[in-house]
Amino acid sequence: MSRTEDSGEGRQLRDALAAAGILASWDWDVAERRINGDARLAALLGVTPEEAARGVPPAAFFNAIHPEDRTRIRLAVGAILRGAELLSRECRVLVPGLGLRWVHARGRRYPDAGGGPGHFLGTLVDVTEQKRVEERLRIAQTAGGIGTFEYMPGFATAAVSDQFCKLLGLRPAPDLPVRTVNGVVHPGDLPIIDDNVTDEAALPALGTVHEAEFRIARADTGEARWLKRRGEYLRDAETAGLRFSGVIYDITDTKRTEAQLRALNEGLEAEVAARTADRNRLWRLSADIMLVLRPDGTIVAVNPAWHATLGWREAEVVGRSVLELIHPDDAAGGRDRLARLSGDGPVMRVEDRYRHKDGRWRWIDWSAAFGEGLISAVGRDVTEEREREQALRQAEEALRQSQKMEAVGQLTGGIAHDFNNLLTGIVGSLELLRTRIAQGRFGQVERYVAAAQGAADRAAALTHRLLAFSRRQTLDPKPTGANRLIQGMEELIRRTMGPAIEVETVLAVGLWPTLCDPHQLENAILNLAINARDAMPGGGRLTIETANSWIDDRAARERDMEPGQYVTVCVTDTGTGMPPEVVARAFDPFFTTKPVGQGTGLGLSMIYGFARQSGGQVRIYSEPGQGTTMRLYLPRHWGEVEEEKTAARGNPPRAERGETVLVVDDEPTVRMLVMEVLEELGYAALEASDGGSALKVLRSTARLDLLITDVGLPGGMNGRQVADAARELRPGLRVLFITGYAENAAIGNGHLAPGMHVLTKPFPMEVLATRIKSIIEGA
């Protein structure tokens, strides 16, 4: 670091640069191809200040740039090497401590005294907030149907937005040839928008807003449309030339309404003259109802269609206020619209309810405008359309309710069926076990115990899948390397696929870590592989890929997820594929295309729940006969992946120093089993059935080395609250949550305090014993 940087002057300069949003500055020796920078550039490039002061190769700078932006920056650097003097480019860089930021790289080359390449001095300016504003503007433009453009008079191309292209029926492109745009404009209107003037003196004054309306024939359909252009000439800051920037939008509906109103007004003289024999054919024969009002709402004239539509004859309504015929709920809005129209407002479109002479209310869709002191309006009866829309909404709501009840029925029916089967195995095995013990026939006891245990394990697995689908399973997220995890289970997958299916893994170099439950990720990948195997009965190829993915705002909206950085795991098969209707229901619980008895329909729903609960997403890409790709997105983790510790096998460890454990659970059977395990292992065990009882023990003088508590407890105090109170009374007390249901979002989502652990019910007693020992010993 130089003396200037160490001095007060250097600190003032750095503060001024930081206040201006400048992330870093550099001095590039073009001939030596070395970049010298300050401490901020060193931090950005991941090198030491000393290395930055000595100079680093340009490649170090490119490594900090987003991969999708590197080519554009390389081209700009190449231009500098060929003699260009200025650099002005925007790109994305990964800034330590700030994450991904948009920066404007700008600078100028200064040749040396001998005319050599010299030095290139530049800065990186943070323009992230500006980019966010531009993104919001782009979204607003798209939602409002507004296209943007910018070009320099005399140039062959124009920079345009996607919405600009859509309005003209062209494929979206960032730049369009001017001749392509002119090709869809009506020949008679080309002179209106022809700004291809090279003589600056012939151009309009700078900063003046220019508007033009013109006709087009859409490039895709040939449909005739009216567009309006609004823009102004500005001086370009970088080239000193002129540029024309503005917006375009569709005004076809407005033009049509204006034409109809013009025809109406042309056939009407002022006030009473509008009711003379000079009414034109449109006024007399139109099926639409027409109305002329004074600004205060007094009806001046109505056409014959008024009687046919609303039952009122002309003499019955002329001279009355139109507000007398409007539904009371719409009248207030009607007064406001009259005031706005009378103030030379634009053409207005509105729907109101009007009273039919027989007392019914009819919905009228109006287009109205003000001119020559009168308000003219054209309307049509849309009551039937409104009623059909209402009936359709009711039908859709009834259908959604029916589908919801059907899904609930499938869910509960499927659960009942599976659990009845499992309970039969458990209850039957226990009954036979009791009978054989009473008979003194101990030879088959182990057989019945194994059968009951197997059915219980399958019931636990089913419950786990249901919790996964509902996104309420208890997860144990850890920094996880997906590549290492896949490599560890590759042999299992190969054996599962069988000899007819080729298994290939394509694992990304430099894959980011992710924060998830590694065991659930293993289950998800294995489930996807088994589904792929079933889709390839005649053999095929299974490919498992990993990649780093950047999801921008648009892609995030398409995938129903948050924008950001994700690790993706793709499982692709060459099997039968899925039609769209199957893809749409693939994640539904108990939905399966397999024959009865060959699938529960919970595999994909479990994967979906795991992904969503982990902050990610899962998507299906499939076509019949073309195979299927299942893409799993998991959020990037910015920490390191820890090495897995292999648990020692053998007999459960026993207490050694009289350790005491408090067990809190409202289920007597669970409490009894945990207490017996503790006592058999030599622990002193205390018990409580609710939070209040537990607090009494915690406030006593009894020794406590560990608190084991269920999450869901009766009495208004859950297990997490008991644990927090225990930490207040006994700081540092270790806690083990045992839960069959994620009552508290903090449990299982990576938010547990140090010294707190979680174990999901049901669990083998030897697993409980091992966890207790490791927690007490601080492992």
Short mmCIF file of all heavy atoms in Angstrom, two decimals, residues 287-346:
data_model
loop_
_atom_site.label_atom_id
_atom_site.label_comp_id
_atom_site.label_asym_id
_atom_site.label_seq_id
_atom_site.Cartn_x
_atom_site.Cartn_y
_atom_site.Cartn_z
N ALA A 287 -77.66 -1.08 -33.03
CA ALA A 287 -78.13 -1.95 -31.94
C ALA A 287 -77.56 -1.50 -30.60
O ALA A 287 -78.09 -1.89 -29.55
CB ALA A 287 -77.74 -3.39 -32.21
N ASP A 288 -76.48 -0.71 -30.64
CA ASP A 288 -75.92 -0.16 -29.39
C ASP A 288 -76.76 1.02 -28.95
O ASP A 288 -77.30 1.78 -29.76
CB ASP A 288 -74.48 0.30 -29.62
CG ASP A 288 -73.54 -0.87 -29.87
OD1 ASP A 288 -73.87 -1.98 -29.43
OD2 ASP A 288 -72.51 -0.67 -30.54
N ILE A 289 -76.88 1.21 -27.64
CA ILE A 289 -77.62 2.36 -27.14
C ILE A 289 -76.70 3.58 -27.11
O ILE A 289 -75.50 3.47 -26.81
CB ILE A 289 -78.23 2.09 -25.74
CG1 ILE A 289 -77.14 1.72 -24.73
CG2 ILE A 289 -79.26 1.00 -25.81
CD1 ILE A 289 -77.68 1.54 -23.33
N MET A 290 -77.26 4.74 -27.50
CA MET A 290 -76.48 5.98 -27.57
C MET A 290 -77.17 7.03 -26.72
O MET A 290 -78.39 7.07 -26.60
CB MET A 290 -76.35 6.45 -29.01
CG MET A 290 -75.66 5.42 -29.91
SD MET A 290 -75.47 5.99 -31.60
CE MET A 290 -74.66 4.55 -32.32
N LEU A 291 -76.33 7.91 -26.16
CA LEU A 291 -76.81 8.83 -25.15
C LEU A 291 -76.03 10.14 -25.26
O LEU A 291 -74.82 10.14 -25.47
CB LEU A 291 -76.58 8.21 -23.75
CG LEU A 291 -76.87 9.05 -22.51
CD1 LEU A 291 -78.35 9.34 -22.39
CD2 LEU A 291 -76.37 8.29 -21.28
N VAL A 292 -76.75 11.26 -25.17
CA VAL A 292 -76.13 12.58 -25.14
C VAL A 292 -76.55 13.26 -23.83
O VAL A 292 -77.74 13.29 -23.51
CB VAL A 292 -76.54 13.44 -26.36
CG1 VAL A 292 -75.87 14.81 -26.28
CG2 VAL A 292 -76.16 12.73 -27.65
N LEU A 293 -75.55 13.79 -23.10
CA LEU A 293 -75.79 14.37 -21.77
C LEU A 293 -75.20 15.78 -21.70
O LEU A 293 -74.21 16.09 -22.38
CB LEU A 293 -75.11 13.54 -20.66
CG LEU A 293 -75.47 12.07 -20.51
CD1 LEU A 293 -74.48 11.42 -19.55
CD2 LEU A 293 -76.89 11.90 -20.03
N ARG A 294 -75.80 16.59 -20.84
CA ARG A 294 -75.13 17.81 -20.43
C ARG A 294 -74.09 17.46 -19.36
O ARG A 294 -74.17 16.38 -18.74
CB ARG A 294 -76.15 18.81 -19.87
CG ARG A 294 -77.10 19.39 -20.90
CD ARG A 294 -77.82 20.60 -20.32
NE ARG A 294 -78.75 21.16 -21.30
CZ ARG A 294 -80.05 20.90 -21.33
NH1 ARG A 294 -80.58 20.09 -20.42
NH2 ARG A 294 -80.82 21.45 -22.26
N PRO A 295 -73.14 18.32 -19.09
CA PRO A 295 -72.12 18.02 -18.07
C PRO A 295 -72.70 17.72 -16.70
O PRO A 295 -72.06 17.02 -15.90
CB PRO A 295 -71.25 19.28 -18.05
CG PRO A 295 -71.39 19.85 -19.43
CD PRO A 295 -72.81 19.56 -19.83
N ASP A 296 -73.92 18.25 -16.38
CA ASP A 296 -74.50 17.97 -15.07
C ASP A 296 -75.23 16.64 -15.02
O ASP A 296 -75.80 16.26 -13.99
CB ASP A 296 -75.44 19.10 -14.65
CG ASP A 296 -76.65 19.23 -15.59
OD1 ASP A 296 -76.74 18.44 -16.57
OD2 ASP A 296 -77.48 20.12 -15.36
N GLY A 297 -75.25 15.90 -16.14
CA GLY A 297 -75.89 14.60 -16.19
C GLY A 297 -77.29 14.59 -16.75
O GLY A 297 -77.91 13.52 -16.87
N THR A 298 -77.82 15.73 -17.16
CA THR A 298 -79.16 15.79 -17.74
C THR A 298 -79.16 15.14 -19.12
O THR A 298 -78.31 15.45 -19.96
CB THR A 298 -79.64 17.24 -17.85
OG1 THR A 298 -79.64 17.83 -16.55
CG2 THR A 298 -81.04 17.30 -18.43
N ILE A 299 -80.13 14.24 -19.35
CA ILE A 299 -80.21 13.54 -20.62
C ILE A 299 -80.78 14.48 -21.68
O ILE A 299 -81.86 15.04 -21.51
CB ILE A 299 -81.07 12.27 -20.50
CG1 ILE A 299 -80.46 11.30 -19.48
CG2 ILE A 299 -81.23 11.59 -21.85
CD1 ILE A 299 -81.32 10.09 -19.19
N VAL A 300 -80.03 14.62 -22.80
CA VAL A 300 -80.46 15.46 -23.91
C VAL A 300 -81.11 14.62 -25.00
O VAL A 300 -82.14 15.02 -25.57
CB VAL A 300 -79.26 16.25 -24.49
CG1 VAL A 300 -79.67 17.02 -25.75
CG2 VAL A 300 -78.70 17.19 -23.43
N ALA A 301 -80.55 13.46 -25.29
CA ALA A 301 -81.09 12.62 -26.36
C ALA A 301 -80.68 11.18 -26.13
O ALA A 301 -79.61 10.90 -25.58
CB ALA A 301 -80.59 13.11 -27.71
N VAL A 302 -81.55 10.25 -26.57
CA VAL A 302 -81.24 8.83 -26.60
C VAL A 302 -81.68 8.28 -27.94
O VAL A 302 -82.62 8.81 -28.56
CB VAL A 302 -81.93 8.06 -25.45
CG1 VAL A 302 -81.43 8.54 -24.10
CG2 VAL A 302 -83.44 8.18 -25.54
N ASN A 303 -81.04 7.24 -28.43
CA ASN A 303 -81.44 6.66 -29.72
C ASN A 303 -82.49 5.58 -29.51
O ASN A 303 -82.77 5.15 -28.37
CB ASN A 303 -80.21 6.13 -30.46
CG ASN A 303 -79.66 4.86 -29.81
OD1 ASN A 303 -79.82 4.67 -28.60
ND2 ASN A 303 -79.01 4.02 -30.59
N PRO A 304 -83.12 5.07 -30.59
CA PRO A 304 -84.19 4.08 -30.45
C PRO A 304 -83.77 2.81 -29.72
O PRO A 304 -84.60 2.15 -29.10
CB PRO A 304 -84.59 3.80 -31.89
CG PRO A 304 -84.24 5.05 -32.63
CD PRO A 304 -83.00 5.56 -31.99
N ALA A 305 -82.48 2.46 -29.79
CA ALA A 305 -82.03 1.23 -29.12
C ALA A 305 -82.19 1.31 -27.61
O ALA A 305 -82.21 0.29 -26.92
CB ALA A 305 -80.57 0.94 -29.49
N TRP A 306 -82.30 2.52 -27.08
CA TRP A 306 -82.50 2.69 -25.64
C TRP A 306 -83.79 2.01 -25.19
O TRP A 306 -83.80 1.31 -24.17
CB TRP A 306 -82.54 4.19 -25.32
CG TRP A 306 -82.62 4.50 -23.86
CD1 TRP A 306 -83.72 4.51 -23.10
CD2 TRP A 306 -81.53 4.84 -23.00
NE1 TRP A 306 -83.42 4.83 -21.80
CE2 TRP A 306 -82.08 5.05 -21.71
CE3 TRP A 306 -80.16 5.00 -23.19
CZ2 TRP A 306 -81.29 5.39 -20.62
CZ3 TRP A 306 -79.38 5.35 -22.10
CH2 TRP A 306 -79.94 5.53 -20.84
N HIS A 307 -84.86 2.19 -25.98
CA HIS A 307 -86.14 1.57 -25.63
C HIS A 307 -86.04 0.05 -25.73
O HIS A 307 -86.55 -0.68 -24.87
CB HIS A 307 -87.25 2.10 -26.55
CG HIS A 307 -88.57 1.43 -26.33
ND1 HIS A 307 -89.05 0.41 -27.14
CD2 HIS A 307 -89.53 1.61 -25.37
CE1 HIS A 307 -90.22 0.01 -26.69
NE2 HIS A 307 -90.55 0.72 -25.63
N ALA A 308 -85.39 -0.43 -26.79
CA ALA A 308 -85.27 -1.88 -26.96
C ALA A 308 -84.45 -2.52 -25.85
O ALA A 308 -84.71 -3.67 -25.45
CB ALA A 308 -84.63 -2.18 -28.32
N THR A 309 -83.49 -1.78 -25.32
CA THR A 309 -82.58 -2.35 -24.32
C THR A 309 -83.09 -2.16 -22.90
O THR A 309 -83.03 -3.07 -22.07
CB THR A 309 -81.18 -1.74 -24.46
OG1 THR A 309 -80.70 -1.95 -25.79
CG2 THR A 309 -80.21 -2.36 -23.47
N LEU A 310 -83.59 -0.95 -22.59
CA LEU A 310 -83.96 -0.61 -21.21
C LEU A 310 -85.45 -0.32 -21.02
O LEU A 310 -85.87 -0.04 -19.90
CB LEU A 310 -83.14 0.59 -20.73
CG LEU A 310 -81.63 0.32 -20.55
CD1 LEU A 310 -80.89 1.61 -20.27
CD2 LEU A 310 -81.40 -0.68 -19.44
N GLY A 311 -86.23 -0.36 -22.10
CA GLY A 311 -87.68 -0.22 -21.96
C GLY A 311 -88.19 1.21 -21.89
O GLY A 311 -89.39 1.44 -21.94
N TRP A 312 -87.29 2.18 -21.74
CA TRP A 312 -87.70 3.59 -21.65
C TRP A 312 -87.78 4.20 -23.04
O TRP A 312 -86.89 4.03 -23.86
CB TRP A 312 -86.69 4.42 -20.82
CG TRP A 312 -86.49 3.92 -19.43
CD1 TRP A 312 -85.46 3.16 -18.98
CD2 TRP A 312 -87.32 4.18 -18.30
NE1 TRP A 312 -85.59 2.91 -17.64
CE2 TRP A 312 -86.73 3.52 -17.19
CE3 TRP A 312 -88.51 4.88 -18.11
CZ2 TRP A 312 -87.27 3.56 -15.91
CZ3 TRP A 312 -89.05 4.92 -16.83
CH2 TRP A 312 -88.43 4.27 -15.75
N ARG A 313 -88.86 4.94 -23.27
CA ARG A 313 -88.96 5.69 -24.52
C ARG A 313 -88.24 7.02 -24.34
O ARG A 313 -88.00 7.48 -23.22
CB ARG A 313 -90.41 5.90 -24.93
CG ARG A 313 -91.14 4.59 -25.21
CD ARG A 313 -92.49 4.82 -25.87
NE ARG A 313 -93.16 3.55 -26.13
CZ ARG A 313 -92.91 2.79 -27.19
NH1 ARG A 313 -92.04 3.19 -28.10
NH2 ARG A 313 -93.56 1.65 -27.37
N GLU A 314 -87.92 7.64 -25.47
CA GLU A 314 -87.13 8.86 -25.43
C GLU A 314 -87.79 9.94 -24.58
O GLU A 314 -87.14 10.59 -23.76
CB GLU A 314 -86.93 9.37 -26.87
CG GLU A 314 -85.97 10.53 -26.99
CD GLU A 314 -85.74 10.93 -28.44
OE1 GLU A 314 -86.60 10.63 -29.29
OE2 GLU A 314 -84.69 11.53 -28.71
N ALA A 315 -89.08 10.12 -24.75
CA ALA A 315 -89.77 11.18 -24.02
C ALA A 315 -89.78 10.93 -22.52
O ALA A 315 -89.95 11.87 -21.74
CB ALA A 315 -91.20 11.31 -24.54
N GLU A 316 -89.60 9.66 -22.10
CA GLU A 316 -89.64 9.33 -20.67
C GLU A 316 -88.33 9.63 -19.95
O GLU A 316 -88.30 9.66 -18.72
CB GLU A 316 -90.00 7.86 -20.49
CG GLU A 316 -91.40 7.52 -20.97
CD GLU A 316 -91.69 6.03 -20.90
OE1 GLU A 316 -90.87 5.24 -21.42
OE2 GLU A 316 -92.73 5.65 -20.34
N VAL A 317 -87.24 9.81 -20.70
CA VAL A 317 -85.95 10.00 -20.04
C VAL A 317 -85.31 11.34 -20.36
O VAL A 317 -84.47 11.82 -19.58
CB VAL A 317 -84.97 8.86 -20.41
CG1 VAL A 317 -85.46 7.53 -19.84
CG2 VAL A 317 -84.77 8.76 -21.90
N VAL A 318 -85.65 11.94 -21.50
CA VAL A 318 -85.04 13.22 -21.85
C VAL A 318 -85.43 14.26 -20.79
O VAL A 318 -86.59 14.38 -20.40
CB VAL A 318 -85.48 13.68 -23.25
CG1 VAL A 318 -85.05 15.14 -23.50
CG2 VAL A 318 -84.87 12.77 -24.31
N GLY A 319 -84.45 15.00 -20.32
CA GLY A 319 -84.66 16.00 -19.29
C GLY A 319 -84.41 15.48 -17.88
O GLY A 319 -84.29 16.27 -16.94
N ARG A 320 -84.35 14.16 -17.72
CA ARG A 320 -84.06 13.58 -16.40
C ARG A 320 -82.54 13.45 -16.23
O ARG A 320 -81.77 13.43 -17.19
CB ARG A 320 -84.71 12.21 -16.25
CG ARG A 320 -86.21 12.25 -16.31
CD ARG A 320 -86.80 10.85 -16.32
NE ARG A 320 -86.48 10.09 -15.10
CZ ARG A 320 -86.91 8.85 -14.88
NH1 ARG A 320 -87.66 8.23 -15.80
NH2 ARG A 320 -86.60 8.24 -13.76
N SER A 321 -82.10 13.34 -14.97
CA SER A 321 -80.68 13.09 -14.71
C SER A 321 -80.38 11.61 -14.92
O SER A 321 -81.14 10.73 -14.48
CB SER A 321 -80.31 13.48 -13.28
OG SER A 321 -78.98 13.06 -12.98
N VAL A 322 -79.30 11.34 -15.60
CA VAL A 322 -78.92 9.94 -15.84
C VAL A 322 -78.65 9.23 -14.52
O VAL A 322 -78.79 8.00 -14.42
CB VAL A 322 -77.68 9.88 -16.76
CG1 VAL A 322 -76.43 10.36 -16.04
CG2 VAL A 322 -77.47 8.47 -17.29
N LEU A 323 -78.29 9.98 -13.47
CA LEU A 323 -77.99 9.37 -12.17
C LEU A 323 -79.23 8.75 -11.54
O LEU A 323 -79.12 7.87 -10.68
CB LEU A 323 -77.39 10.41 -11.22
CG LEU A 323 -76.05 11.01 -11.66
CD1 LEU A 323 -75.61 12.09 -10.69
CD2 LEU A 323 -74.99 9.92 -11.76
N GLU A 324 -80.45 9.19 -11.97
CA GLU A 324 -81.68 8.59 -11.46
C GLU A 324 -81.85 7.15 -11.93
O GLU A 324 -82.56 6.36 -11.30
CB GLU A 324 -82.89 9.41 -11.91
CG GLU A 324 -82.93 10.83 -11.37
CD GLU A 324 -84.14 11.60 -11.91
OE1 GLU A 324 -85.09 10.93 -12.37
OE2 GLU A 324 -84.11 12.83 -11.89
N LEU A 325 -81.22 6.82 -13.06
CA LEU A 325 -81.38 5.48 -13.64
C LEU A 325 -80.25 4.54 -13.25
O LEU A 325 -80.32 3.35 -13.54
CB LEU A 325 -81.46 5.59 -15.17
CG LEU A 325 -82.57 6.49 -15.72
CD1 LEU A 325 -82.48 6.53 -17.23
CD2 LEU A 325 -83.93 5.99 -15.28
N ILE A 326 -79.21 5.05 -12.60
CA ILE A 326 -78.06 4.22 -12.24
C ILE A 326 -78.29 3.60 -10.86
O ILE A 326 -78.89 4.21 -9.98
CB ILE A 326 -76.76 5.07 -12.23
CG1 ILE A 326 -76.50 5.62 -13.64
CG2 ILE A 326 -75.57 4.25 -11.78
CD1 ILE A 326 -75.27 6.49 -13.71
N HIS A 327 -77.84 2.38 -10.69
CA HIS A 327 -77.93 1.69 -9.41
C HIS A 327 -77.29 2.56 -8.31
O HIS A 327 -76.23 3.16 -8.53
CB HIS A 327 -77.22 0.34 -9.50
CG HIS A 327 -77.51 -0.58 -8.36
ND1 HIS A 327 -76.94 -0.43 -7.11
CD2 HIS A 327 -78.31 -1.68 -8.28
CE1 HIS A 327 -77.36 -1.39 -6.31
NE2 HIS A 327 -78.20 -2.16 -6.99
N PRO A 328 -77.91 2.62 -7.13
CA PRO A 328 -77.34 3.47 -6.05
C PRO A 328 -75.89 3.19 -5.74
O PRO A 328 -75.12 4.10 -5.41
CB PRO A 328 -78.25 3.14 -4.85
CG PRO A 328 -79.55 2.70 -5.46
CD PRO A 328 -79.19 2.00 -6.73
N ASP A 329 -75.48 1.91 -5.85
CA ASP A 329 -74.08 1.58 -5.56
C ASP A 329 -73.12 2.14 -6.60
O ASP A 329 -71.92 2.26 -6.34
CB ASP A 329 -73.90 0.06 -5.48
CG ASP A 329 -74.62 -0.54 -4.28
OD1 ASP A 329 -74.98 0.23 -3.36
OD2 ASP A 329 -74.84 -1.77 -4.27
N ASP A 330 -73.63 2.45 -7.81
CA ASP A 330 -72.77 2.95 -8.88
C ASP A 330 -72.90 4.47 -9.06
O ASP A 330 -72.14 5.07 -9.82
CB ASP A 330 -73.12 2.28 -10.22
CG ASP A 330 -72.99 0.76 -10.14
OD1 ASP A 330 -72.19 0.29 -9.31
OD2 ASP A 330 -73.68 0.06 -10.91
N ALA A 331 -73.88 5.08 -8.38
CA ALA A 331 -74.18 6.50 -8.63
C ALA A 331 -73.02 7.40 -8.22
O ALA A 331 -72.71 8.38 -8.92
CB ALA A 331 -75.45 6.90 -7.89
N ALA A 332 -72.37 7.11 -7.09
CA ALA A 332 -71.27 7.97 -6.64
C ALA A 332 -70.16 8.00 -7.67
O ALA A 332 -69.61 9.06 -8.00
CB ALA A 332 -70.74 7.49 -5.28
N GLY A 333 -69.81 6.83 -8.20
CA GLY A 333 -68.79 6.78 -9.24
C GLY A 333 -69.26 7.50 -10.50
O GLY A 333 -68.45 8.10 -11.21
N GLY A 334 -70.56 7.46 -10.78
CA GLY A 334 -71.09 8.15 -11.95
C GLY A 334 -70.90 9.66 -11.85
O GLY A 334 -70.55 10.31 -12.83
N ARG A 335 -71.13 10.24 -10.67
CA ARG A 335 -70.93 11.68 -10.48
C ARG A 335 -69.46 12.05 -10.72
O ARG A 335 -69.15 13.07 -11.36
CB ARG A 335 -71.35 12.09 -9.08
CG ARG A 335 -72.84 11.97 -8.80
CD ARG A 335 -73.20 12.58 -7.45
NE ARG A 335 -74.57 12.30 -7.11
CZ ARG A 335 -74.97 11.24 -6.41
NH1 ARG A 335 -74.08 10.35 -5.98
NH2 ARG A 335 -76.25 11.04 -6.14
N ASP A 336 -68.57 11.22 -10.20
CA ASP A 336 -67.13 11.49 -10.36
C ASP A 336 -66.74 11.44 -11.84
O ASP A 336 -65.98 12.28 -12.32
CB ASP A 336 -66.32 10.48 -9.55
CG ASP A 336 -64.84 10.66 -9.72
OD1 ASP A 336 -64.33 11.73 -9.32
OD2 ASP A 336 -64.19 9.76 -10.26
N ARG A 337 -67.29 10.49 -12.58
CA ARG A 337 -66.93 10.37 -14.00
C ARG A 337 -67.48 11.54 -14.81
O ARG A 337 -66.83 12.02 -15.74
CB ARG A 337 -67.45 9.04 -14.54
CG ARG A 337 -66.67 7.83 -14.01
CD ARG A 337 -67.06 6.57 -14.75
NE ARG A 337 -68.40 6.14 -14.45
CZ ARG A 337 -68.73 5.37 -13.42
NH1 ARG A 337 -67.79 4.98 -12.57
NH2 ARG A 337 -69.98 4.99 -13.21
N LEU A 338 -68.68 12.02 -14.48
CA LEU A 338 -69.23 13.19 -15.17
C LEU A 338 -68.31 14.40 -14.98
O LEU A 338 -68.05 15.15 -15.92
CB LEU A 338 -70.63 13.51 -14.63
CG LEU A 338 -71.77 12.58 -15.09
CD1 LEU A 338 -73.04 12.92 -14.32
CD2 LEU A 338 -72.01 12.71 -16.58
N ALA A 339 -67.80 14.56 -13.76
CA ALA A 339 -66.92 15.70 -13.49
C ALA A 339 -65.62 15.57 -14.27
O ALA A 339 -65.12 16.57 -14.83
CB ALA A 339 -66.64 15.78 -11.99
N ARG A 340 -65.07 14.36 -14.34
CA ARG A 340 -63.81 14.19 -15.05
C ARG A 340 -63.98 14.36 -16.55
O ARG A 340 -63.15 14.96 -17.22
CB ARG A 340 -63.21 12.82 -14.72
CG ARG A 340 -62.55 12.77 -13.35
CD ARG A 340 -61.81 11.48 -13.16
NE ARG A 340 -62.72 10.36 -12.96
CZ ARG A 340 -62.47 9.10 -13.29
NH1 ARG A 340 -61.35 8.81 -13.91
NH2 ARG A 340 -63.34 8.14 -13.05
N LEU A 341 -65.07 13.81 -17.10
CA LEU A 341 -65.33 13.95 -18.53
C LEU A 341 -65.54 15.41 -18.91
O LEU A 341 -65.07 15.87 -19.95
CB LEU A 341 -66.55 13.12 -18.93
CG LEU A 341 -66.30 11.63 -19.17
CD1 LEU A 341 -67.62 10.89 -19.27
CD2 LEU A 341 -65.49 11.41 -20.44
N SER A 342 -66.25 16.15 -18.08
CA SER A 342 -66.55 17.54 -18.38
C SER A 342 -65.30 18.40 -18.31
O SER A 342 -65.29 19.52 -18.84
CB SER A 342 -67.60 18.08 -17.40
OG SER A 342 -68.78 17.30 -17.47
N GLY A 343 -64.26 17.91 -17.68
CA GLY A 343 -63.00 18.66 -17.62
C GLY A 343 -62.09 18.30 -18.76
O GLY A 343 -60.87 18.22 -18.58
N ASP A 344 -62.67 18.05 -19.95
CA ASP A 344 -61.90 17.66 -21.14
C ASP A 344 -61.10 16.39 -20.88
O ASP A 344 -59.94 16.27 -21.31
CB ASP A 344 -60.95 18.79 -21.57
CG ASP A 344 -61.74 19.97 -22.15
OD1 ASP A 344 -62.79 19.72 -22.75
OD2 ASP A 344 -61.29 21.11 -21.98
N GLY A 345 -61.70 15.46 -20.18
CA GLY A 345 -61.01 14.21 -19.91
C GLY A 345 -60.93 13.35 -21.15
O GLY A 345 -61.54 13.63 -22.18
N PRO A 346 -60.18 12.24 -21.07
CA PRO A 346 -60.04 11.35 -22.23
C PRO A 346 -61.28 10.50 -22.42
O PRO A 346 -62.23 10.55 -21.63
CB PRO A 346 -58.85 10.48 -21.83
CG PRO A 346 -58.92 10.43 -20.33
CD PRO A 346 -59.43 11.78 -19.91
#
